[in-house]
Amino acid sequence: LLNATAKRIVASLVNQRAFAPVVRPLLQAANYASRVQDGQRTEPLSYDQPHRAKGVRLIRQIYAERGMLLSLPEAYSIFAAVKQTTKVPGDIAEVGVYQGGSSKVICEAKGARHLHLFDTFAGLPSPKDIDRPDFTEGRFACSLDSVRQYLSSYSGVTFYEGLFPDTAGPVSNHKFSFVNIDVDIYDSTKSALEFFYPRMSPGGVIISHDFSAGGVTAAFDEFLSDKPEALIELVGDQCMIIKIG
Ligand SMILES: C[S@@+](CC[C@H](N)C(=O)[O-])C[C@H]1O[C@@H](n2cnc3c(N)ncnc32)[C@H](O)[C@@H]1O
């Protein structure tokens, strides 16, 4: 009751223009505190904590300017994991770039690390029966030139056009700290895991999208069956592994 009365008083102060800049943040904090207290905490989906503001603003900007096939929590998981692997030695890679929305999330968080971007830019390769029926060959085609243009302000970014892993030769001697796999289907997910897993530095993180899609689930299950790493399911439709050694 006290909390409700206090909130009413603060709310009436907010309506007085002169007080608003000071009182509004206090009201937001009070709302947040009372939701936590009432057990109605909605995080991580609300994403309203101050330390997340920069990443959330960036993701909303990307939705507006370019679009991205990831939800806000999914895109934020990538942003946070890229930042949190800063001290892990190695480059960064993404397989499954499409229009470059998730690539821009990575660019903003990567610091000085080099980013290798792999895509056919002609859409998905041929799927298998196990793959989700709407993941059809050629879906998600996008011109490489338009993605290059979209990311042109970032340094340390290299594009590899064509079917992965045929295009992976130039990075076969590299180590990686973070890899985002967003390729939708079994064959592509399996090849990305086979290529990157042995090249991950200890503590390096692999995130994959479409974890619930049959082909992606099967690729992870098969690949990890003889590996020590745990498969961690994230909010949304992503999974993650952290390389042990
Ligand atoms: C869902 S889209 C990626 C979406 C993007 N990450 C985003 O968040 O906006 C999947 C992409 O994976 C690419 N892809 C799938 N398998 C591939 C392979 N074996 N080699 C290269 N690109 C592949 C497709 O061309 C398509 O652009």
Side-chain angles (χ1 to χ4, degrees), residues 56 58-75 150:
V56 169
L58 163 72
I59 292 161
R60 294 210 164 112
Q61 180 195 327
I62 295 171
Y63 287 141
E65 68 192 13
R66 185 72 172 164
M68 176 166 43
L69 300 178
L70 298 172
S71 67
L72 192 151
E74 291 169 341
Y150 181 55

Side-chain angles (χ1 to χ4, degrees), residues 13-43:
L13 287 174
V14 166
N15 292 329
Q16 297 178 30
R17 193 181 288 253
F19 292 139
V22 178
V23 176
R24 192 165 288 135
L26 291 177
L27 183 63
Q28 281 164 355
N31 276 333
Y32 173 73
S34 70
R35 271 187 291 121
V36 172
Q37 199 178 318
D38 295 347
Q40 295 168 5
R41 189 172 166 159
T42 52
E43 287 73 15

Side-chain angles (χ1 to χ4, degrees), residues 31-237:
N31 276 333
Y32 173 73
S34 70
R35 271 187 291 121
V36 172
Q37 199 178 318
D38 295 347
Q40 295 168 5
R41 189 172 166 159
T42 52
E43 287 73 15
L45 291 175
S46 73
Y47 279 75
D48 57 2
Q49 297 93 333
H51 79 277
R52 285 178 164 157
K54 184 175 173 235
V56 169
R57 219 175 15 250
L58 163 72
I59 292 161
R60 294 210 164 112
Q61 180 195 327
I62 295 171
Y63 287 141
E65 68 192 13
R66 185 72 172 164
M68 176 166 43
L69 300 178
L70 298 172
S71 67
L72 192 151
E74 291 169 341
Y76 191 86
S77 293
I78 292 173
F79 183 77
V82 172
K83 281 214 168 285
Q84 285 154 6
T85 51
T86 303
K87 65 183 179 199
V88 178
D91 294 349
I92 297 179
E94 178 175 64
V95 194
V97 171
Y98 185 39
Q99 297 173 308
S102 51
S103 318
K104 178 160 175 168
V105 170
I106 297 171
C107 282
E108 286 283 334
K110 76 184 182 62
R113 283 174 288 174
H114 201 97
L115 173 61
H116 305 273
L117 294 174
F118 297 90
D119 206 302
T120 61
F121 296 101
L124 296 175
S126 173
K128 284 193 154 41
D129 286 347
I130 192 174
D131 290 311
R132 225 170 74 183
D134 58 317
F135 287 150
T136 47
E137 187 168 359
R139 195 172 170 197
F140 307 122
C142 182
S143 103
L144 168 56
D145 279 350
S146 78
V147 184
R148 228 191 260 283
Q149 174 64 31
Y150 181 55
L151 302 176
S152 58
S153 61
Y154 300 100
S155 58
V157 179
T158 307
F159 294 89
Y160 305 83
E161 183 179 21
L163 188 71
F164 187 91
D166 302 352
T167 48
V171 298
S172 59
N173 293 326
H174 292 224
K175 282 285 184 191
F176 293 87
S177 55
F178 177 82
V179 174
N180 185 43
I181 303 175
D182 190 359
V183 289
D184 302 341
I185 59 173
Y186 174 87
D187 279 344
S188 303
T189 305
K190 193 84 183 292
S191 347
L193 285 171
E194 280 163 359
F195 181 83
F196 286 110
Y197 177 88
R199 294 173 173 82
M200 298 305 293
S201 298
V205 170
I206 299 177
I207 286 185
S208 174
H209 194 229
D210 299 299
F211 178 54
S212 68
V216 176
T217 319
F220 269 88
D221 285 350
E222 281 172 29
F223 183 78
L224 286 180
S225 62
D226 60 353
K227 312 283 184 308
E229 281 80 9
L231 182 64
I232 303 161
E233 224 179 308
L234 301 180
V235 167
D237 198 11

